[in-house]
Amino acid sequence: MPIQTTKLSDPAVRAFVTAVNAHDREAFRASLAPGATMADDGSDRDIEEWTGREIFDSNGHMEIEKEYAHGLALTALYRNDAWGEMRTKWQFVVAGGKVTRFETGQA
C-alpha cells in the first residue's frame, strides 16, 4: 500500500514530493536550497533542465512505496508521459529545512 505524501517523515522531502505531484514548479523551487544539485542514475544533471523535462513537462508523479534512512530515502513508483511507470529510488540531503541535493534512478 502506498504511503500518503502527508505521512512522509521529513518535512523538506514531503514538500518536494507534494510539489512534484501537484506539478507546482514554484513550490518545487521553494523546497530546494539555493544551489541545490541532483543526479540521475549516477550522473549529475542540470536541475532546471532535468526537472522540466522529466517532471513538469511530462506530468511526473511519485507514488511512494517505502521510506527509510529517517525519511531521507524513498522507493517510489514514478511515472511520466515520456517513460511510463518505473520503480525508482530517491535519496535526499537536507539542510536548513531545504533539499540541497537529490539523487534518483531506477530501483
Side-chain angles (χ1 to χ4, degrees), residues 65-106:
E65 293 184 321
K66 180 180 176 182
E67 73 170 349
Y68 45 99
H70 306 287
L72 296 176
L74 307 172
T75 302
L77 288 178
Y78 184 77
R79 66 180 176 273
N80 68 20
D81 294 343
W83 303 104
E85 186 173 87
M86 66 187 86
R87 179 163 280 105
T88 57
K89 61 183 185 231
W90 298 76
Q91 295 181 302
F92 299 88
V93 178
V94 173
K98 302 281 186 177
V99 173
T100 60
R101 181 170 176 83
F102 71 93
E103 298 181 7
T104 188
Q106 291 193 45

Side-chain angles (χ1 to χ4, degrees), residues 17-86:
V17 174
T18 299
V20 167
N21 288 348
H23 305 221
D24 186 336
R25 288 181 197 249
E26 291 307 312
F28 179 80
R29 287 183 187 115
S31 75
L32 302 176
T37 61
M38 59 107 20
D40 180 17
D41 283 328
S43 296
D44 281 358
R45 306 285 186 197
D46 177 274
I47 202 165
E48 282 293 321
E49 178 188 328
W50 189 91
T51 59
R53 182 181 66 249
E54 299 291 337
I55 296 174
F56 297 107
D57 296 341
S58 61
N59 300 306
H61 184 86
M62 300 171 73
E63 184 175 293
I64 309 305
E65 293 184 321
K66 180 180 176 182
E67 73 170 349
Y68 45 99
H70 306 287
L72 296 176
L74 307 172
T75 302
L77 288 178
Y78 184 77
R79 66 180 176 273
N80 68 20
D81 294 343
W83 303 104
E85 186 173 87
M86 66 187 86

